[in-house]
Amino acid sequence: MVESGAELEAGVELSLSAVADEGYKFVSWWDGNTEAERTYTMPAEAVTVSASFEAEEEPQPDLYVLTITQPENGTITVTMAGEAVESGAELEAGVELSLSAVADEGYKFVSWWDGNTEAERIYTMPAEAVTVSATFKEDVANETTGTLAVTVYPNPSDGLFHVEVGSAVTAQVYTSAGRLLQMYEWEEAGKKEVDLQGRNSGTYYLRLIKGKQTEVIKLVVR
């Protein structure tokens, strides 16, 4: 080993070795040579031997685009570690996302784009771009057990509906938001009327009740 300050003859051969610390890499010697291990011939003059190093760049993980498509009749949200994730975000594969689907009033969540039927779920980002979406549908099933003999026409209409019932029933008319608008006690079978003229166009619900039987019919006002 040759110490700094040693006096050497011109022409002697020196073995130079440059070893970088962890996290750094060798760049070059003072004379521009880029071989970390080299042989150097002592010139007929004083020489200062030095080398330069630089920090190694950490490898960057691959990122994949997450697109969020907001559906009709509901809202979906995506969060990561409690923070909202926006559509178009670039994420690493393997990160965990919290997905939440909330239906608008009068609708219910059906499923996510991948067939999953949990409205609240954890989703692991794959090593590819993903488009997150969900489907919703009208929620009238819970009100309908449907075996009553009833006919409604015309439907859609301008607001006046003819209803033919096969027995005495109680009739209730609701908005799509679930607010009771009208109530009828039809005490015998026959032709009846539900008058929604003057109401805003849209969807309403006619609920017919006879004992433990219930049927719900969608009324559409043009």
Side-chain angles (χ1 to χ4, degrees):
M1 178 181 289
V2 178
E3 301 292 337
S4 179
E7 297 181 346
L8 305 175
E9 295 179 21
V12 300
E13 289 190 340
L14 305 173
S15 294
L16 307 185
S17 177
V19 179
D21 290 342
E22 187 173 357
Y24 290 82
K25 64 181 180 181
F26 169 73
V27 178
S28 66
W29 295 98
W30 80 101
D31 58 358
N33 186 290
T34 57
E35 296 175 281
E37 306 285 337
R38 62 180 285 204
T39 297
Y40 177 71
T41 302
M42 186 69 186
E45 60 184 349
V47 173
T48 299
V49 173
S50 64
S52 59
F53 299 82
E54 67 181 13
E56 290 185 321
E57 294 182 2
E58 293 187 8
Q60 295 298 314
D62 291 332
L63 300 178
Y64 303 93
V65 176
L66 180 78
T67 302
I68 303 172
T69 301
Q70 289 296 340
E72 296 182 358
N73 310 319
T75 303
I76 58 178
T77 57
V78 180
T79 60
M80 182 174 64
E83 298 293 329
V85 177
E86 301 294 335
S87 182
E90 296 183 340
L91 306 175
E92 296 179 34
V95 299
E96 289 193 338
L97 305 173
S98 297
L99 309 186
S100 176
V102 179
D104 291 344
E105 194 164 5
Y107 291 84
K108 65 180 180 180
F109 168 75
V110 177
S111 67
W112 295 97
W113 81 101
D114 58 357
N116 186 289
T117 56
E118 297 175 279
E120 306 284 336
R121 62 181 287 207
I122 299 298
Y123 176 71
T124 302
M125 186 70 184
E128 60 183 355
V130 172
T131 297
V132 172
S133 62
T135 56
F136 299 82
K137 70 177 183 180
E138 288 182 297
D139 186 11
V140 295
N142 291 338
E143 298 179 318
T144 305
T145 59
T147 55
L148 298 177
V150 58
T151 302
V152 178
Y153 61 92
N155 192 12
S157 81
D158 59 2
L160 184 61
F161 298 87
H162 300 295
V163 183
E164 292 186 3
V165 293
S167 62
V169 295
T170 297
Q172 300 169 335
V173 180
Y174 291 86
T175 67
S176 60
R179 181 168 62 90
L180 179 64
L181 287 180
Q182 300 170 4
M183 185 169 179
Y184 305 91
E185 291 291 344
W186 293 331
E187 298 180 353
E188 58 184 20
K191 183 177 178 180
K192 316 296 180 182
E193 287 185 348
V194 171
D195 189 358
L196 294 176
Q197 295 179 102
R199 298 281 182 181
N200 292 333
S201 59
T203 301
Y204 298 81
Y205 294 96
L206 173 64
R207 185 182 188 193
L208 303 171
I209 305 168
K210 180 183 179 182
K212 294 184 179 180
Q213 291 180 294
T214 302
E215 185 162 354
V216 175
I217 299 172
K218 182 167 65 173
L219 305 177
V220 178
V221 177
R222 291 181 294 207

